[in-house]
Amino acid sequence: MVTRRHLIGSSLTLAAAGSLGGSGGSAAPRPSAGRLKQSVSRWCYEKIPLDQLCTFAASIGLSGIDLLQPKDYDVPRRHGLRCTMGYAADEMTIPNGLNRRENHDAIERAFRTGIPQAAKAGVPNVIAFSGNRRGMSDEEGAANTIAGMKRLTPIAEDHGVTICLELLNSKRDHADYMADHTAWGARVMEAVGSPRAKLLYDAYHMQIMEGDLIATIRENIRWIGHVHTGGVPGRHELDGTQEVNWTAVSRALADLKFDGYLAHEFVPAGDPLPALRAAVRTCTV
């Protein structure tokens, strides 16, 4: 299984270089990605220079680059794009997040710097994590996460930035992670009660944990602020080798008037930029 912690191999670098060579220099109008705003996660293409990834992303109709550190927030803007999801608090990680009250002070301090920084750069969303259970009950973890989010949402509301708590699978990639079901995350968001507190609905992870993607999205759309893609199994291309009908999922989001970003977060097994182009076409509805 491939996660953000894995490096992309040298073969990806070579494939990316070959794809980039044929993308250049046209002044043609940017193509449309349909009714959804699509973007791409930086870590999946980290061997490609960010400026070059932005050039290609713009050429295929993407709106931005996902999951950037603050030092890179301005790079997409040079290409008519934006950072669609930023990291605003290094103190918060996938295993160590909001479900422990002893983490709240450090996370709040980080967000008091990180959220204004995101707002200044036009970054609409910043990511948050529940943390791992480590024996804690889901009920206690939910209460702690709600308390932590309530400390952060006034900062987010003041600056017009949305905090998106990511749903991840605990079955294959992130053992023991607490926010591993949509119902848990929706309960937290409802209790927080802020328009600047949403879920990052990672459809790759939720397909592994619970399936039933379209019905779940419809039932919880008011809590969903951002969506990630990724082929199941393996987190590779959105093609016939995997089990999710991404065109149908995209159409459901568009029909619900989803106004967040659909960010591609898959690691291509083959030629990377053609794979990204194909994924954009698959999700253009």
Side-chain angles (χ1 to χ4, degrees):
M1 285 298 159
V2 184
T3 73
R4 289 181 199 137
R5 293 167 291 182
H6 289 74
L7 295 176
I8 311 304
S10 59
S11 61
L12 178 57
T13 306
L14 294 172
S19 297
L20 284 163
S23 67
S26 173
R30 181 182 299 178
S32 170
R35 293 184 288 159
L36 295 174
K37 296 179 293 186
Q38 298 186 51
S39 65
V40 60
S41 294
R42 170 62 175 145
W43 74 270
C44 302
Y45 297 83
E46 61 189 355
K47 295 294 185 180
I48 300 173
L50 182 54
D51 272 305
Q52 294 181 18
L53 180 61
C54 289
T55 297
F56 184 78
S59 77
I60 60 173
L62 295 183
S63 298
I65 309 296
D66 222 51
L67 298 174
L68 293 180
Q69 294 288 345
K71 66 181 178 63
D72 293 325
Y73 283 169
D74 285 335
V75 177
R77 299 169 77 176
R78 299 201 291 261
H79 302 268
L81 307 175
R82 74 193 311 185
C83 170
T84 51
M85 175 74 68
Y87 289 109
D90 289 340
E91 291 77 1
M92 178 168 44
T93 64
I94 289 172
N96 295 299
L98 288 163
N99 65 347
R100 282 188 153 66
R101 291 179 185 260
E102 59 266 30
N103 296 337
H104 290 179
D105 286 349
I107 292 172
E108 181 181 348
R109 283 195 300 270
F111 270 72
R112 287 197 178 278
T113 299
I115 286 180
Q117 191 173 21
K120 183 178 180 180
V123 179
N125 306 296
V126 295
I127 198 167
F129 303 107
S130 68
N132 289 353
R133 291 181 173 88
R134 298 193 185 94
M136 180 183 290
S137 72
D138 283 0
E139 291 72 23
E140 181 182 359
N144 292 345
T145 302
I146 291 163
M149 287 289 288
K150 284 186 173 181
R151 291 177 60 169
L152 304 177
T153 50
I155 311 168
E157 290 166 4
D158 286 346
H159 292 88
V161 173
T162 301
I163 302 168
C164 293
L165 181 73
E166 187 164 21
L167 301 173
L168 301 171
N169 84 77
S170 59
K171 181 179 179 181
R172 298 196 179 277
D173 297 297
H174 301 288
D176 201 42
Y177 186 73
M178 182 168 280
D180 60 355
H181 282 84
T182 308
W184 187 93
R187 177 157 58 99
V188 167
M189 293 302 114
E190 184 172 18
V192 173
S194 170
R196 292 298 175 181
K198 298 286 186 179
L199 295 176
L200 196 175
Y201 184 84
D202 193 311
Y204 160 78
H205 290 289
M206 291 302 95
Q207 173 67 11
I208 291 171
M209 293 302 298
E210 57 193 27
D212 198 26
L213 297 181
I214 292 175
T216 301
I217 288 169
R218 286 173 177 159
E219 291 162 3
N220 295 281
I221 190 64
R222 64 193 182 280
W223 312 123
I224 297 173
H226 201 78
V227 176
H228 277 170
T229 72
V232 183
R235 198 171 204 153
H236 296 306
E237 283 85 340
L238 313 187
D239 60 16
T241 67
Q242 52 87 58
E243 63 196 36
V244 177
N245 183 340
W246 290 103
T247 300
V249 171
S250 299
R251 186 174 294 114
L253 285 164
D255 289 348
L256 291 163
K257 310 299 183 189
F258 175 66
D259 62 356
Y261 290 89
L262 177 75
H264 295 293
E265 194 186 26
F266 65 91
V267 178
D271 205 356
L273 297 182
L276 178 57
R277 187 195 299 273
V280 173
R281 289 174 176 165
T282 294
C283 296
T284 296
V285 295

